[in-house]
Each structure stands twice: as C-alpha cells, then as structure tokens.
Amino acid sequence: MKKSVLAKSIFALVAMFVCSLAISASSPRNYIYDTKEENGKVISKVIFLQEEGLLNKEVKYEFAYNEAGKVTEKKAFRWNKKSEEWEPFYLTTYTYNADNSEIHSVYAMWNKVKSDFSLNTQEMNLPASNYDSIFQ
C-alpha cells in the first residue's frame, strides 16, 4: 500500500514537472531590439529579453561594410552576467566575387584559449541574388 502511494506521488510530481516545462517552453519571449545606424546602414544591434519588467542583455551584433555598401562582417557577442561584459561568440565574414554573382561566407566561433575566431570554421558559397534575404 505504501509503495503504491509513493509511486503515485512520484508519478504526480513528474507529471507536474513535465507540464511546467511545457508551459514555460510554449510561453513567448518578449525581445526588444536596439539598432544603431550610420548612413542608412545597421552598424550594431543589441537584443534584450524583457522579463518581469526588466531588460536583460542577451546578444549584440556588429556589422562592417565594403565600399559598395555590402556587409563584409557580422560579429556576434553574448552578454556575460557575471563579468557584465560582452564576450565574443562568432564571426561571419562575407566576400563577393568580381562579377557579384556569388557570396563567399566564412563562419567561425570564438576560441577563448587563442583569443581568436578559429573554432568550428565553416565556409559556404551563396548566390548573390540571396543578398537581401540574408541581410534583412
């Protein structure tokens, strides 16, 4: 009898835990964006998570452009709550071939040991016709 009550109690606790996870996962997050522009180009974007009336820093992006006004670099940072500093996360660089038919992108994550973007490096070629959909 005691085993049955204990088993039912444990099952009820597990069921409540699973339900609470499902509810918290399905609740929408409220993000706020702080975008800085120069000459019509986005140079940085900070994303805040609004929770309980407070804005918590989450991610920051910085952008660099070439002479033609196309994105050449997108650098991402994550907010470190302990040190209260932005920490590098990843870097994506973009180069454009001479006839502007292709975009070559190189993605790399921050390597804390080497203090550079050298982890998980990946390269990809994209059609230049996708430029607007990539950088909106």
Side-chain angles (χ1 to χ4, degrees):
M1 178 75 170
K2 287 183 181 180
K3 286 184 180 179
S4 175
V5 170
L6 182 61
K8 287 180 183 178
S9 298
I10 291 173
F11 178 76
L13 283 172
V14 169
M16 286 175 41
F17 178 72
V18 169
C19 289
S20 70
L21 283 177
I23 289 171
S24 67
S26 67
S27 63
R29 293 181 168 248
N30 190 13
Y31 291 103
I32 307 292
Y33 301 87
D34 179 24
T35 304
K36 292 194 169 83
E37 293 185 18
E38 285 183 8
N39 301 321
K41 301 288 184 191
V42 174
I43 59 164
S44 71
K45 184 184 289 190
V46 179
I47 301 172
F48 299 88
L49 176 60
Q50 186 175 8
E51 292 180 308
E52 301 172 9
L54 300 174
L55 292 178
N56 299 309
K57 295 176 184 172
E58 294 287 314
V59 180
K60 177 171 107 171
Y61 298 104
E62 292 179 351
F63 300 90
Y65 297 85
N66 63 15
E67 306 80 36
K70 293 188 175 184
V71 175
T72 56
E73 185 176 281
K74 177 182 178 182
K75 196 180 295 184
F77 301 84
R78 288 194 288 190
W79 182 250
N80 183 320
K81 291 179 184 178
K82 281 186 176 181
S83 67
E84 294 189 350
E85 293 181 343
W86 290 108
E87 293 184 344
F89 182 39
Y90 70 84
L91 171 69
T92 306
T93 57
Y94 303 94
T95 54
Y96 305 87
N97 63 357
D99 63 356
N100 277 333
S101 64
E102 197 170 76
I103 302 169
H104 179 74
S105 68
V106 178
Y107 168 91
M109 295 183 70
W110 182 251
N111 184 334
K112 287 184 182 180
V113 174
K114 294 182 179 180
S115 293
D116 67 4
F117 293 98
S118 60
L119 288 178
N120 193 26
T121 302
Q122 300 176 32
E123 296 187 33
M124 181 171 40
N125 290 318
L126 305 159
S129 58
N130 290 358
Y131 182 86
D132 290 332
S133 62
I134 295 169
F135 299 109
Q136 284 185 349

